[in-house]
Amino acid sequence: MTTTTTRTVVYPADGLTMVGHLALPAGTDRRPAVLVGPEGTGLSDVERRRADALAELGYVALAFDLHGGRYLSDPEEMLARCLPLLADPDRLRDIGRAALDALYAEPRTDPGRIAVVGYGTGGAVGLELGRGGVDLRAIGTVNGLITGRPGESANIRCPVWAGVGSEDPIMSSAQRDAFTDEMRAAGADWRLTVYGGALHAFHHPPVDHPTVPGFGHHPRHARRAWRDVVDLLAECLPLGSKDAGTRGTRAA
């Protein structure tokens, strides 16, 4: 069984002190690395467990912070923080670049082999890093199909995979069409997976606080989306025999 280690990583971004969760695979060698971005509510144990699961596979993984160590369980507070962020690509990029710098600072990270996998607002951060020309091997976004400024998606130099629920009222069919039009115009290497019957944040386990309308967990599609994420990384950020862990791909 692969032994992983974790620690808290503190770094500045967006005028805040961010508190990320770093998970490291066994060994001392450099490994490919993954940034894991959270939903708009912020970093929680869900993303921490996903980073841990990626470390078990053999990746260095940093689940990054959006709100200065806070989890925004109140929907109004979350929207008041996230809507301005989503409307400001430069702020999203700055948050992502600060997390990347924290990941680069880890000696186990191979700086030439990095991917971003984000959910909701965290997925928008990953897309903006790509639009900003950051050298990434893959971008994965789940229910975060945020379109960018005209023409900037041509700067994306890696495959993009996006997942969304068919019944997501936030990432509506019109939003999906806008995203696919943007990727097509950019000539990007992109894929879109639509999970039938799923709502927004279908991948996220149920929470014990209020949410905005249209949220809902879909266990079967949550498992499928995680497998799709792992498959994206296997294709674009492959682990050699000496890199790979020995445990499965399940994230709690």
Side-chain angles (χ1 to χ4, degrees):
M1 183 177 293
T2 301
T3 301
T4 62
T5 58
T6 64
R7 71 170 184 269
T8 297
V9 176
V10 178
Y11 59 95
D14 199 44
L16 301 170
T17 298
M18 301 299 189
V19 184
H21 174 83
L22 181 70
L24 298 172
T28 59
D29 57 325
R30 283 192 167 186
R31 298 290 183 90
V34 184
L35 277 180
V36 180
E39 285 282 354
T41 45
L43 182 59
S44 72
D45 285 343
V46 172
E47 293 80 27
R48 294 183 185 98
R49 286 193 296 265
R50 287 177 178 149
D52 294 348
L54 292 173
E56 290 171 357
L57 290 175
Y59 297 102
V60 172
L62 176 63
F64 64 86
D65 187 8
L66 291 173
H67 309 311
R70 300 185 63 213
Y71 179 84
L72 306 183
S73 59
D74 175 39
E76 291 187 4
E77 184 181 16
M78 182 272 292
L79 291 172
R81 164 75 177 159
C82 287
L83 291 179
L85 282 179
L86 293 170
D88 191 336
D90 291 324
R91 285 180 71 192
L92 291 175
R93 292 178 193 183
D94 287 346
I95 288 171
R97 288 188 176 113
L100 271 176
D101 286 343
L103 189 57
Y104 289 143
E106 166 52 48
R108 298 287 308 283
T109 297
D110 182 341
R113 295 191 290 167
I114 293 179
V116 182
V117 173
Y119 299 82
T121 303
V125 169
L127 287 168
E128 285 304 332
L129 285 174
R131 294 181 182 117
V134 173
D135 183 16
L136 299 169
R137 293 293 181 91
I139 298 169
T141 177
V142 182
N143 56 261
L145 311 183
I146 306 301
T147 50
R149 290 181 289 221
E152 290 193 343
S153 285
N155 295 324
I156 295 175
R157 295 177 282 171
C158 65
V160 175
W161 171 82
V164 65
S166 68
E167 308 310 304
D168 185 339
I170 299 171
M171 297 293 118
S172 65
S173 59
Q175 184 67 30
R176 297 199 298 268
D177 289 345
F179 177 78
T180 57
D181 288 346
E182 179 185 5
M183 292 294 109
R184 187 181 298 117
D189 178 356
W190 66 278
R191 288 170 286 169
L192 174 65
T193 302
V194 180
Y195 298 94
L199 294 168
H200 193 75
F202 68 90
H203 64 90
H204 199 290
V207 296
D208 59 359
H209 58 75
T211 63
V212 299
F215 276 54
H217 183 49
H218 196 300
R220 186 183 311 116
H221 285 324
R223 293 190 293 271
R224 288 169 173 165
W226 178 250
R227 287 197 298 268
D228 286 340
V229 164
V230 172
D231 287 345
L232 173 73
L233 297 176
E235 174 190 344
C236 302
L237 205 66
L239 294 161
S241 58
K242 68 182 181 61
D243 296 332
T246 58
R247 299 183 70 177
T249 62
R250 178 171 178 145

